Amino acid sequence: MRRARIAAVVLAFAAALIGPAVVSPAPASAARLVRVDELSPTRSAIFVESAAMGRTIQVQVLHPAGGGSRASYYLLDGLDPGVGQSTWTNATDAERFFSGRNVNVVLPVGGQASYYTDWIHDDPRFGRYKWETFLTQELPPIIDAQFNGNGVNGIGGLSMGGNAAFILAARHPALYRAVAGYSACPDTAMAQGAVMFSVANRGGNPLNMWGPPGSPAWAAHDPALMLEQLRGKTLYLSTGTGIPGPHEAEIKPQLAENIFLGGPVELGVNLCTVAFEQRLRAAGIPARIDYSPVGTHSWSYWQDTLHASWSTIGPALGA
C-alpha cells in the first residue's frame, strides 16, 4: 500500500512537470456508416457504428440543400441530452437559424453525463463511454465524406457540452478552428465538485471517468492548464448571472426550475467564466466573452447566445 501511494505521488509529480498530454488527431478508425435517414432536404440522421463504444450512435446533421464544400460545426448537448434528437433542435430554433447557412451543424444524440470524453473504466449505469474517440476520430471522416465537409471544424456546446468543447479543442488543437461555450466552465479544476456531483446525480460513478480527483487524467482534461493549445483559435464564451431576466417573464412549465436551480448554477458559471477569462488575458489569448447582467441556466438564453455567437464563430469557419 505504501509503495502504491509513493508511485501515485511520483506519477502526479511527473504529470505536473510534463504538463497535460496533448492528443494529436489519429487516423480514421473502423467506424462504419450504417444508414442515413433524410428527415428533410436540410436535415439528416446518420447512424454510425462506433468501434470504440461498441454500439451504434445516432448523429443528426443540419446541412445546406445544395452541393458545395463547407465547414462543420459540432454542437454538443448538455448534461441531459435529448432522446431521439439533440435538445438544440428540440428546445431552440437552431434548425431555422442555420437554414441557408453554408455549414454542417453536427448534433450527436445521447451521452448523458458523459462530458463527451473517454472514460477510463466502463460504468455500470452508462456502459462504455468513448465519446472523445468517437467525436475526434470516428465521426469527422464520415461527416466530411457524406456532407461535403472541407476539413474545417468548429466545436461548441452548452453547459457540460461547452466544457467538453474546450476540452476537446485543447486536446486536439489541429482539429478545430473555433470553440464556443454557452454557460460553460472550461476550468475543470474549478468545476471539479460540480462535475463529480452531476455524474453521480445521474447514477454514474464519477471515478470511472478520469479517476479520483487529483489524478493526472483530471489535469489532462483541464483547458485552464492547456491554454497554449487554444492560442490562435477563435474563442467564444457566454454567461448570465443567475438573476431572473426577460425569459423568466414567460409562462412555461420549467419556470420554477429555471429560477431556483438554473439561477444558482448560472451564478457559478459566471464566476468560473470570469476566472477563465483572467487566465486567457494573462496569457495574451483573445476571446469574445458575452456577459449578461441577468439570465439563468436555461434554454431560452442558450438560443439567444447561439445567435449572438455566430458573428464570431461563423467567419472563423468561413460560413
Side-chain angles (χ1 to χ4, degrees):
M1 182 66 71
R2 184 170 180 270
R3 288 181 180 177
R5 286 198 298 267
I6 293 172
V9 171
V10 170
L11 285 172
F13 182 69
L17 288 177
I18 297 170
V22 177
V23 182
S24 299
S29 72
R32 183 176 66 91
L33 180 60
V34 177
R35 78 173 196 268
V36 179
D37 293 347
E38 294 184 358
L39 306 178
S40 80
T42 57
R43 180 174 175 179
S44 299
I46 66 172
F47 295 82
V48 179
E49 186 180 280
S50 167
M53 285 197 269
R55 57 192 172 94
T56 298
I57 307 295
Q58 182 188 175
V59 178
Q60 294 197 1
V61 183
L62 308 178
H63 53 82
S69 67
R70 57 256 187 179
S72 298
Y73 185 45
Y74 290 73
L75 191 54
L76 306 180
D77 224 323
L79 193 67
D80 295 305
V83 177
Q85 64 177 309
S86 166
T87 317
W88 280 108
T89 50
N90 185 46
T92 78
D93 67 351
E95 185 171 8
R96 183 169 66 251
F97 177 72
F98 284 107
S99 177
R101 300 180 190 274
N102 192 39
V103 64
N104 297 320
V105 181
V106 183
L107 302 159
V109 178
Q112 184 186 38
S114 67
Y115 285 83
Y116 295 103
T117 192
D118 283 2
W119 287 35
I120 61 175
H121 299 298
D122 291 353
D123 188 77
R125 168 70 174 83
F126 298 124
R128 178 159 298 170
Y129 268 170
K130 298 292 180 182
W131 282 96
E132 178 176 344
T133 297
F134 178 71
L135 290 170
T136 64
Q137 298 177 27
E138 296 183 329
L139 187 58
I142 293 173
I143 294 296
D144 287 351
Q146 191 69 29
F147 298 100
N148 298 322
N150 60 12
V152 174
N153 301 299
I155 189 166
L158 78 301
S159 194
M160 176 193 85
N163 296 14
F166 273 81
I167 292 170
L168 293 173
R171 287 172 59 80
H172 301 267
L175 190 57
Y176 305 106
R177 286 192 186 178
V179 193
Y182 310 100
S183 295
C185 177
D187 188 324
T188 302
M190 190 170 180
Q192 180 178 278
V195 169
M196 295 190 69
F197 173 79
S198 66
V199 173
N201 186 251
R202 267 60 180 182
N205 182 349
L207 300 182
N208 287 331
M209 188 164 70
W210 298 323
S215 65
W218 280 84
H221 293 83
D222 192 341
L225 301 179
M226 307 169 75
L227 294 181
E228 283 304 312
Q229 309 310 318
L230 299 174
R231 190 180 299 279
K233 301 186 186 306
T234 297
L235 306 179
Y236 175 90
L237 283 165
S238 64
T239 178
T241 58
I243 298 172
H247 290 302
E248 279 65 55
E250 303 164 359
I251 303 301
K252 45 194 172 185
Q254 63 271 37
L255 181 60
E257 179 184 354
N258 291 352
I259 294 173
F260 296 110
L261 178 61
V265 170
E266 193 68 9
L267 174 60
V269 169
N270 182 276
L271 297 174
C272 180
T273 302
V274 169
F276 191 72
E277 182 187 17
Q278 290 172 347
R279 285 179 177 266
L280 290 172
R281 302 305 181 209
I285 298 174
R288 175 182 166 188
I289 317 288
D290 278 354
Y291 291 104
S292 172
V294 297
T296 62
H297 204 70
S298 55
W299 277 102
S300 296
Y301 294 101
W302 298 325
Q303 173 173 292
D304 292 345
T305 51
L306 175 66
H307 290 199
S309 71
W310 199 246
S311 62
T312 297
I313 300 298
L317 300 179

